[in-house]
Amino acid sequence: MREIVVFSGSAHTELAEQICSDLGVPLSPVEVHRFSNDCLQVQLQANCRQRDVYIVQPLVPPTQDHLMELLLMIDAARGASAAQITAVIPHYAYARSDKKDASRISIGGRLVADMLTTAGANRVLTMALHAPQVHGFFSVPVDHLTAIGVLADHFRGRDLSDTVVVSPDLGNAKTATQFARLLGVPVAAGSKQRLADDRVIIDAIVGEVAGKRAIVLDDEIATGGSIIELLDRLKDQGCTSAAVACTHGLFAGPAVERLRSHPSITEVISTDTVPRPLGFPELETTSVAGLFAEAIKRIHDGESVSSLFDGVDPTHAPPQPKLPF
């Protein structure tokens, strides 16, 4: 059996260290050097020859620097004769650029996928893509993990009577429905219209929320504009309070101040796919390092990754029997 070698870029070394701890392997060192002309150079400090190489790097700000680091590390591993290279990208930022919804714009999600495979990635391991169709942008296998089971564990054991799971938009309603089924509570969703990156309007709530406590579930929170707009609409319709849960807690710009000061919020929880923000001591985090470690182990051993989510996510269910003709 080939050895596992794990490297990390500078984006989130704490997560990479925890993944390695769960795997029982050391985190191999990487040297990143920035030249005077602002170009980056990467050198992997461990033998890669005929080994399975896993490179951990979420695409978080400064996103372009971290993307370039990842591409250079993949290229270095390929040049060092790695047997297989897996890009472990807990947060794939360019999943938000998934379609051409205006004239003369690029589809960044597909472009970055092409760059990763051109650099030499043989496989991608990621979590909670903003748009599921981004999975199809890759010409190499993609293992797409979900955190809804981990987030649901945070709320289990509580009194969830008069509780409803709420999605900020209809696009995330399917995931919210799966999450609500895990907790045995109803689901609702906002009807959202995005005006700009940090400006949205929610003109309706689909579902019954009056007199209920909400668990607002989103895949990613950046500036928090969608969440605050949703919370205001929920309050207008008689919702008593809200917990906020997300997979990728970026909390950029005014997000921390917005969430800390909103009177409806009882708690905010996210996973550790991205580094914890500064100045947000109330934020609760739950780790997905164990999920990534188990997925890496199963990839290395040639076992099923989808079976990790048996009973959690129906999209990972066994193949359906063929229809009779």
Side-chain angles (χ1 to χ4, degrees):
M1 180 70 71
R2 294 189 298 263
E3 292 181 35
I4 291 177
V5 182
V6 181
F7 298 99
S8 173
S10 60
H12 197 358
T13 55
E14 294 86 354
L15 176 62
E17 288 169 352
Q18 185 58 54
I19 290 172
C20 286
S21 175
D22 291 343
L23 280 171
V25 301
L27 179 61
S28 297
V30 178
E31 183 175 307
V32 180
H33 180 73
R34 188 181 295 271
F35 292 106
S36 57
N37 64 354
D38 204 38
C39 291
L40 293 173
Q41 182 185 68
V42 167
Q43 184 178 32
L44 306 179
Q45 302 287 303
N47 185 13
C48 301
R49 186 175 297 276
Q50 294 307 304
R51 288 165 168 79
D52 284 352
V53 173
Y54 296 84
I55 302 173
V56 182
Q57 181 86 318
L59 299 182
V60 296
T63 305
Q64 279 54 250
D65 280 6
H66 290 145
L67 172 59
M68 195 65 202
E69 272 186 24
L70 176 59
L71 293 171
L72 291 171
M73 286 189 288
I74 293 170
D75 179 69
R78 180 177 63 173
S81 301
Q84 177 171 280
I85 304 166
T86 300
V88 182
I89 312 175
H91 174 54
Y92 186 72
Y94 279 92
R96 295 182 68 139
S97 179
D98 62 305
K99 56 186 174 296
K100 188 173 181 179
D101 53 4
S103 300
R104 298 174 296 280
I105 63 170
S106 65
I107 303 176
R110 185 183 63 193
L111 175 61
V112 172
D114 290 343
M115 292 167 66
L116 290 167
T117 54
T118 299
N122 303 114
R123 179 181 291 270
V124 171
L125 177 60
T126 189
M127 175 170 278
L129 291 170
H130 183 71
Q133 64 265 27
V134 173
H135 191 145
F137 290 169
F138 289 87
S139 57
V140 296
V142 176
D143 290 298
H144 186 195
L145 308 185
T146 178
I148 61 171
V150 173
L151 291 171
D153 287 342
H154 176 79
F155 294 97
R156 285 197 178 100
R158 301 184 182 186
D159 178 11
L160 296 178
S161 58
D162 297 322
T163 299
V164 58
V165 171
V166 185
S167 169
D169 55 64
L170 299 175
N172 194 52
K174 182 178 180 180
T175 301
T177 300
Q178 295 165 1
F179 184 72
R181 286 174 179 166
L182 291 177
L183 296 177
V185 300
V187 65
S191 175
K192 182 172 76 174
Q193 178 183 359
R194 182 169 293 280
L195 304 179
D197 179 51
D198 60 348
R199 291 178 56 226
V200 299
I201 293 176
I202 295 178
D203 51 21
I205 302 292
V206 181
E208 181 58 48
V209 298
K212 295 182 180 292
R213 296 171 295 175
I215 300 176
V216 176
L217 179 72
D218 208 353
D219 63 317
E220 174 185 333
I221 297 178
T223 64
S226 297
I227 299 297
I228 298 303
E229 175 73 8
L230 177 64
L231 292 174
D232 291 342
R233 298 292 77 73
L234 288 172
K235 185 177 180 181
D236 292 343
Q237 296 203 15
C239 186
T240 59
S241 63
V244 176
C246 69
T247 300
H248 308 301
L250 296 171
F251 305 117
V256 171
E257 182 181 350
R258 285 172 165 175
L259 295 173
R260 293 187 70 188
S261 63
H262 199 283
S264 296
I265 295 178
T266 57
E267 63 177 324
V268 181
I269 177 172
S270 73
T271 76
D272 58 352
T273 57
V274 301
R276 185 184 179 93
L278 299 175
F280 200 174
E282 300 89 349
L283 175 67
E284 298 183 60
T285 58
T286 184
S287 182
V288 291
L291 270 179
F292 277 99
E294 182 63 23
I296 288 171
K297 181 179 181 298
R298 293 184 181 208
I299 291 169
H300 182 68
D301 294 341
E303 298 175 356
S304 170
V305 173
S306 62
S307 61
L308 270 172
F309 304 105
D310 287 346
V312 174
D313 187 346
T315 61
H316 296 284
Q320 297 300 307
K322 292 182 179 179
L323 295 173
F325 292 97

